Amino acid sequence: MGTFKSIEDPKNPESHLNSYFGNIKAIEYICSDKKKKVKVDSFDEYLECLSPIEFETLIAKLKEEDGYFVPAYKGGMLKDYDLICKKGKTQENLQIKLNLSKETYNKYKNKNLSIYCVSKDKKIKNPKITIYDYNDVLNLIQKSEKTKEWLKQTLDWVEFKY
């Protein structure tokens, strides 16, 4: 699929995490007439194959499996918050981003929230708020069988072994 190489930065081997990696993989799958699953090599690449709404849903399902009540899976209704999760008297406000840029981080760093992302800009040092990346999401999924099954079904067109 050399046609798509031009949107990757050859000087930065991780550039696919800030580009259209998931879109490219979906196009590869469709071009195979949906006969051959696309292969990814790492968990972060696997998560990159989710749409932003699917990633929000994944985090909501993880929170629900951890005992939280999540009234809505799609963000955008409240300024600065994608998900609000409640457990007893505890409330977690979440911002969900596939890729967290320094600019986006700066927009939210003084808010009362946590951020879930697949990857984050390496320029974000000593964050003032909690940031969960793909390693944290993987740890949560390993403890959440229902959500793990949901993820496998959602990305049934992607070949990846945990």
Side-chain angles (χ1 to χ4, degrees):
M1 302 287 327
T3 339
F4 299 109
K5 290 273 185 199
S6 62
I7 66 170
E8 294 182 13
D9 180 357
K11 296 176 189 167
N12 179 2
E14 293 183 356
S15 65
H16 69 274
L17 296 176
N18 294 310
S19 67
Y20 300 98
F21 182 81
N23 299 62
I24 293 168
K25 290 298 181 183
I27 292 168
E28 286 177 16
Y29 177 65
I30 291 167
C31 287
S32 77
D33 290 326
K34 300 181 181 179
K35 293 177 182 168
K36 183 179 176 190
K37 289 184 177 191
V38 295
K39 188 173 191 289
V40 296
D41 299 319
S42 60
F43 187 68
D44 55 335
E45 289 180 350
Y46 187 59
L47 291 180
E48 284 284 330
C49 292
L50 292 170
S51 73
I53 292 172
E54 289 170 331
F55 189 57
E56 284 182 14
T57 303
L58 171 68
I59 301 305
K61 287 183 162 298
L62 286 169
K63 297 308 277 183
E64 282 184 332
E65 202 161 345
D66 191 33
Y68 284 82
F69 171 71
V70 183
Y73 282 15
K74 177 156 178 0
M77 301 311 262
L78 295 173
K79 185 176 175 7
D80 299 328
Y81 305 119
D82 287 327
L83 298 176
I84 295 176
C85 308
K86 299 175 182 180
K87 188 179 196 179
K89 294 182 181 183
T90 302
Q91 178 172 309
E92 270 192 69
N93 304 316
L94 308 180
Q95 183 57 233
I96 315 292
K97 299 288 177 205
L98 279 170
N99 299 295
L100 180 61
S101 68
K102 185 164 174 111
E103 294 78 30
T104 301
Y105 166 76
N106 286 336
K107 181 178 168 183
Y108 296 111
K109 70 181 180 185
N110 294 317
K111 306 286 181 183
N112 178 25
L113 54 75
S114 298
I115 298 177
Y116 283 79
C117 61
V118 176
S119 63
K120 66 179 168 89
D121 190 319
K122 291 181 181 3
K123 296 175 191 161
I124 300 172
K125 305 285 184 198
N126 303 317
K128 295 180 179 180
I129 57 178
T130 305
I131 299 174
Y132 299 92
D133 69 7
Y134 71 93
N135 285 311
D136 301 305
V137 173
L138 177 59
N139 289 333
L140 292 169
I141 285 175
Q142 297 294 13
K143 297 181 252 178
S144 306
E145 286 303 315
K146 288 180 184 176
T147 304
K148 187 175 183 179
E149 186 55 35
W150 174 88
L151 182 59
K152 284 181 183 177
Q153 288 183 28
T154 300
L155 293 178
D156 66 347
W157 56 276
V158 180
E159 183 181 326
F160 178 72
K161 297 204 182 340
Y162 288 86

